[in-house]
Amino acid sequence: MADGPPHAPWSARWRALIRDVPDFPQPGIVFRDITPLLWDSAALRAANDALAEAGRTLGATVVAGIEARGFLFGVPVAERLRVPFVPLRKAGKLPGGRASEQYALEYGTAVLEIHREPSIAGQRVLLVDDVLATGGTAAAAVRLVRQLGAEPAGCAFLIELTALGGRAHLEVPVAALVAY
Ligand code: AMP
């Protein structure tokens, strides 16, 4: 391909495999359901290849996936890059010593946690999730890796909901395969 991103031939297929579910999980939200894309193994493989390419370009030495759907893409991306994977989990799930960051939800707050060991200090961490919406979750993930002395190399998402302006809250490079 002479122009456009390397994954351009896949964009239409990925988009066709993301199902819009109006008013889920609550009225007014259009939920972007990725389960049809998970069913299509060629499209899934191409998506993980493209996310891994973004991580390679950003020089990631560790991949951190955001619970839960960030795990679906984060682990295959880490495998492709042959670097460690670390899960960022919701509060109370990790058994070992951990660091945490709070972030705002529409109603109330939530917490993301990471194990302190093995240490990610000095690593370049690629943060992976399925959807970038307001950016609150990914911003907390960025703060979390910084708290442990690592450098956020960037964030990679399958989907970016551009109208919500999440990218502006991240202050790190952002890659997204499908934008709405
Ligand atoms: P945010 O913190 O607002 O960027 O929200 C990001 C998180 O919420 C991600 O982990 C997504 O999985 C989920 N999410 C937010 N909005 C949607 C949506 N419209 N469809 C599917 N997942 C969403």
Side-chain angles (χ1 to χ4, degrees):
M1 281 269 140
D3 51 17
H7 60 262
W10 284 97
S11 295
R13 181 147 161 204
W14 289 328
R15 197 178 285 270
L17 291 166
I18 296 163
R19 188 166 62 118
D20 294 351
V21 185
D23 298 320
F24 182 88
Q26 57 195 57
I29 304 288
V30 180
F31 188 81
R32 309 292 176 170
D33 176 23
I34 59 161
T35 59
L37 193 151
L38 298 176
W39 185 264
D40 185 322
S41 66
L44 178 61
R45 184 157 49 84
N48 283 321
D49 286 346
L51 293 170
E53 189 51 41
R56 193 173 289 116
T57 302
L58 293 167
T61 60
V62 167
V63 174
I66 300 175
E67 185 172 354
R69 279 168 279 149
F71 299 169
L72 298 172
F73 302 97
V75 168
V77 166
E79 281 196 334
R80 280 163 170 76
L81 297 178
R82 292 169 168 67
V83 302
F85 174 82
V86 57
L88 305 187
R89 300 215 58 183
K90 308 276 169 64
K93 306 279 189 182
L94 289 172
R98 57 205 167 266
S100 46
E101 276 290 336
Q102 203 176 66
Y103 59 102
L105 295 176
E106 198 174 354
Y107 304 109
T109 60
V111 171
L112 268 187
E113 296 187 329
I114 185 172
H115 270 152
R116 289 185 176 276
E117 297 293 336
S119 170
I120 60 167
Q123 302 287 345
R124 288 182 58 79
V125 180
L126 178 73
L127 299 153
V128 176
D129 204 355
D130 65 335
V131 176
L132 172 62
T134 66
T137 309
V142 166
R143 292 196 301 275
L144 197 52
V145 303
R146 285 208 173 113
Q147 190 194 130
L148 293 186
E151 175 70 21
C155 297
F157 303 93
L158 193 68
I159 298 164
E160 178 180 8
L161 306 179
T162 54
L164 297 176
R167 188 180 278 255
H169 298 131
L170 295 180
E171 297 172 344
V172 298
V174 172
L177 303 187
V178 178
Y180 290 91

